Amino acid sequence: MVAAALAATIGLTGPPPEQSALPEDFAAAPSGRPPSTAAAPRRPAEAFPKPPSPAAPQHGPPVRILVDDVDLDARVIPVGVTERGDMTVPDDPATAGWYRYGPAPGSAQGSTVLVGHVDTDSGDLGEFAALYDVRRGHRVEVRRSGAPPVRYRILSRVTVPKDELPSSAFRRSGAPVLTLITCAPPYVPERGGYLSNLVVTAAPIGSGRRW
């Protein structure tokens, strides 16, 4: 339920001109970032997920994420829940949100989740639009406060309907991974905006996982 609820939250309002053009899943070459749009309707009200009970406090929270191969460079802030128990996502499309009730980068197990908007109300691209360009093997660096950076290598990129976001994206056990999520076409205003999510998964470098 948490995964499905989050998937419904991170659709943006700026429709790409070619709404049917989805980035291809690996191992095909990406189709490129969604083009910027000059005008877009105002972002609709968003329902954020009701997460499980908070985990223990984490050390070394993330403060910045970089993927040099696609020029992604975003500030990271911790995000929690609203008074309704819904997850929050930073309004600033240049900023990513770390789901602080899940594992932190560098944790020995579980999925570290960072979410970000793909564009703005006016159609300007956000930093996570760069996820449309990533390829298998690209490196991700997550810088932390009071701790060394954690480096990952991208394993996969998939586009899924919002109501089919895998529950494993928020798991707290199992092999450690970094999960990056943004929205993806098609864009249907009468249904609240984007209908899919782009999900990028990366494993810590040196984890022994095969690419």
Side-chain angles (χ1 to χ4, degrees), residues 18-19 29 37 142 160-161:
E18 297 183 7
Q19 297 181 17
T37 55
V142 179
V160 297

Side-chain angles (χ1 to χ4, degrees), residues 72-153:
L72 190 160
D73 183 350
R75 184 170 68 105
V76 179
I77 62 173
V79 295
V81 294
T82 67
E83 292 181 355
R84 298 187 307 170
D86 301 330
M87 183 180 175
T88 57
V89 175
D91 289 332
D92 182 0
T95 300
W98 163 55
Y99 185 57
R100 62 187 176 89
Y101 294 143
S107 295
Q109 58 183 359
S111 174
T112 298
V113 178
L114 299 183
V115 299
H117 290 304
V118 74
D119 59 10
T120 67
D121 292 345
S122 63
D124 295 328
L125 295 181
E127 282 297 318
F128 268 33
L131 296 180
Y132 281 63
D133 292 336
V134 297
R135 296 175 182 266
R136 187 181 181 95
H138 281 177
R139 295 193 176 199
V140 182
E141 179 177 301
V142 179
R143 297 181 181 176
R144 302 181 292 174
S145 175
V150 183
R151 295 179 176 87
Y152 300 83
R153 195 183 305 273

